[in-house]
Amino acid sequence: MKQTYYLDYNATTPVAPEVWQQMEPLLREQYGNPSSVHHSGKAASKVVRQARVKVAELLGADEREIIFTSCGSESNNAAIRSALATNPGKKQIVTSRVEHSSVKKLGKYLTEEGYEFYEVGVTAQGFLNIDELRHVVSEKTAIVSLMLANNETGVFFPVNEIGGFLKEKGIMFHVDGVQAVGKHPLNLKESPVDFFSASAHKLYGPKGIGCLYVKKNTPFRPFIAGGSQERGRRAGTENVAGIAGFGAACELALKDLPEEIQRLKSLRRYFEDTLMKGPHGIVVNGDLNRRLPTTSNLRFPGVDGESLLMALDQKGICISSGSACTSGSTEPSHVLKAMGLTDDESKSSVRFSFGRYTTEETIREVLVILQDTLGALKESSKRNRLMEPRPEAAF
Ligand code: PLP
């Protein structure tokens, strides 16, 4: 079987063995409903309680501030919709041009519903234009929603500084922390953040489980109405195995967070430094220092990102292009475009993202395959250019 080199950890991560161990019995024999009063229900309720404590610990929160949801996208939608419901006179939502589609697409719907959805720009390094944000927010702003770390470039936004300023203005603040959780130290109790989204599948937990942190005393209106699960804040029978997996994933992340950050930083340095020394003129998209240790978004001038992705896939390497596929056509990444890259520059960019199971050996082998592939792609595009028909004579 062909070897797989998985370098797409920002898209999703494998379930860690430590996590699966906690989940398996809950899927097999301990299947009680946490709302049931019998012993099986009580056991399930205890599992949920214990996991909530572990999630809260990683986020630096109180466990009563954690609402389990189905995913990061739901958490993002729930936070923004709640702020609008609890601030009925305020009709503006402020976010950035580089947010995840779960915020961007919601913005489209909200505009159709009569809200103003304003997207603040970013610099060439991917930083938020803070002056523009300060200028645009006002008494009509219901909520500001920003990522902590960008999924494509890894670049951090200074959410503590921004939140402090918004607190003075009495504006609610939501942070999409989906990419940062488990990869960056957090202390939400001490931060000026009202809502914070997380998703288990980005940190070696299962898919289909996430959470929304809602700071104590923040008004909240449920996104999903129904039963009184999650203290009346999110209806629906709990995904007990998923929640247990999320808790186990948070416990695992907390165990070696500083060491893992350093390890990944040094692997990435080795990866990028080696590539930069090569002949391909590779450029890093986004700020070199203030970004997630997992992420390396690279531009390969003169190379089509999609072709590179496909060629690497054939050799067992999984990465992402900086482009999103929309109904069959490849659109340049909205993140890279917001940073000022041309369509061509954006389309020649791809994202490598590293994680817990990426070793130095993985990187070394990937570098060899990547350099060969780049050489072959450049050679074939040179041949294609030579074979292009010459323009016809003018007469
Ligand atoms: N926000 C960010 C920054 C993400 O990267 C993602 C997933 O890629 C999400 C939100 C959505 O998370 P989920 O896949 O759990 O809905």
Side-chain angles (χ1 to χ4, degrees):
M1 210 172 72
K2 191 167 60 179
Q3 167 144 20
T4 293
Y5 300 91
Y6 187 78
L7 295 182
D8 203 12
Y9 281 82
N10 284 16
T12 197
T13 59
V15 171
E18 298 89 333
V19 169
W20 175 241
Q21 202 183 18
Q22 300 278 318
M23 292 178 66
E24 195 184 1
L26 298 163
L27 292 163
R28 283 184 191 276
E29 62 265 3
Q30 297 166 27
Y31 45 76
N33 182 329
S35 299
S36 301
V37 292
H38 47 65
H39 72 275
S40 176
K42 282 193 179 126
S45 170
K46 186 172 170 195
V47 166
V48 172
R49 216 167 37 246
Q50 288 171 337
R52 199 186 305 279
V53 171
K54 291 175 188 168
V55 173
E57 225 171 300
L58 181 65
L59 301 187
D62 186 283
E63 67 255 32
R64 283 163 300 188
E65 295 174 315
I66 305 298
I67 302 173
F68 287 117
T69 62
S70 66
C71 59
S73 300
E74 182 191 324
S75 302
N76 287 350
N77 277 261
I80 294 172
R81 287 279 187 194
S82 173
L84 297 178
T86 59
N87 291 279
K90 300 185 173 185
K91 296 290 177 199
Q92 187 197 46
I93 303 100
V94 176
T95 177
S96 85
R97 288 178 59 196
V98 298
E99 297 303 311
H100 185 257
S101 53
S102 53
V103 171
K104 270 188 115 51
K105 190 69 80 65
L106 174 62
K108 183 174 169 290
Y109 295 143
L110 292 174
T111 309
E112 288 162 11
E113 291 170 31
Y115 290 96
E116 184 200 338
F117 189 77
Y118 188 97
E119 295 174 288
V120 176
V122 297
T123 66
Q125 281 72 43
F127 291 130
L128 190 76
N129 188 335
I130 295 184
D131 287 342
E132 185 184 346
L133 176 82
R134 282 178 183 272
H135 184 72
V136 75
V137 295
S138 70
E139 66 287 344
K140 67 175 183 180
T141 312
I143 187 165
V144 172
S145 174
L146 295 169
M147 282 174 170
L148 173 51
N150 189 272
N151 49 321
E152 289 192 27
T153 59
V155 172
F156 286 113
F157 282 167
V159 296
N160 283 336
E161 178 191 334
I162 295 164
F165 154 73
L166 296 174
K167 272 275 120 3
E168 287 167 20
K169 298 231 166 217
I171 297 170
M172 282 185 162
F173 188 29
H174 166 246
V175 172
D176 174 353
V178 167
Q179 280 298 337
V181 176
K183 308 167 189 171
H184 184 69
L186 294 165
N187 187 359
L188 295 181
K189 239 186 279 180
E190 303 298 324
S191 77
V193 168
D194 301 302
F195 304 103
F196 186 94
S197 303
S199 183
H201 76 96
K202 305 290 187 185
L203 62 145
Y204 313 94
K207 293 167 185 62
I209 183 74
C211 78
L212 179 66
Y213 160 90
V214 181
K215 197 181 275 304
K216 195 175 162 204
N217 297 330
T218 304
F220 185 73
R221 188 146 101 210
F223 184 58
I224 297 184
S228 57
Q229 291 91 351
E230 298 300 289
R231 297 166 66 227
R233 295 174 299 174
R234 201 273 187 184
T237 302
E238 296 88 339
N239 171 359
V240 179
I243 289 171
F246 194 4
C250 290
E251 190 175 28
L252 180 66
L254 202 55
K255 224 189 260 173
D256 59 1
L257 188 59
E259 296 81 7
E260 190 57 9
I261 290 173
Q262 285 318 314
R263 191 185 74 86
L264 288 169
K265 271 189 182 167
S266 102
L267 278 185
R268 180 180 60 188
R269 196 174 314 120
Y270 168 53
F271 178 70
E272 289 182 349
D273 286 354
T274 311
L275 284 173
M276 306 278 198
K277 280 189 215 134
H280 302 290
I282 293 160
V283 181
V284 176
N285 293 318
D287 185 81
L288 283 178
N289 301 313
R290 282 179 281 176
R291 62 185 163 141
L292 283 173
T294 56
T295 311
S296 182
N297 191 313
L298 301 178
R299 176 150 56 90
F300 297 86
V303 173
D304 175 53
E306 284 298 314
S307 307
L308 178 59
L309 186 146
M310 307 289 215
L312 290 179
D313 186 35
Q314 299 238 313
K315 295 170 182 170
I317 301 176
C318 303
I319 58 164
S320 268
S321 76
S323 317
C325 277
T326 323
S327 54
S329 72
T330 307
E331 293 294 324
S333 147
H334 71 279
V335 174
L336 300 182
K337 276 186 89 167
M339 288 161 59
L341 271 70
T342 62
D343 284 3
D344 275 355
E345 287 171 335
S346 173
K347 285 183 175 182
S348 64
S349 299
V350 293
R351 179 188 72 189
F352 295 81
S353 49
F354 313 116
R356 191 167 276 277
Y357 308 114
T358 313
T359 62
E360 197 176 323
E361 193 184 357
T362 321
I363 299 287
R364 225 178 301 121
E365 291 175 12
V366 166
L367 279 166
V368 172
I369 299 171
L370 179 56
Q371 314 260 31
D372 280 359
T373 310
L374 285 169
L377 281 176
K378 286 203 162 165
E379 203 43 53
S380 92
S381 75
K382 202 160 44 177
R383 261 200 316 273
N384 288 344
R385 272 202 309 277
L386 285 175
M387 283 163 65
E388 270 170 17
R390 289 166 187 231
E392 296 205 27
F395 58 89

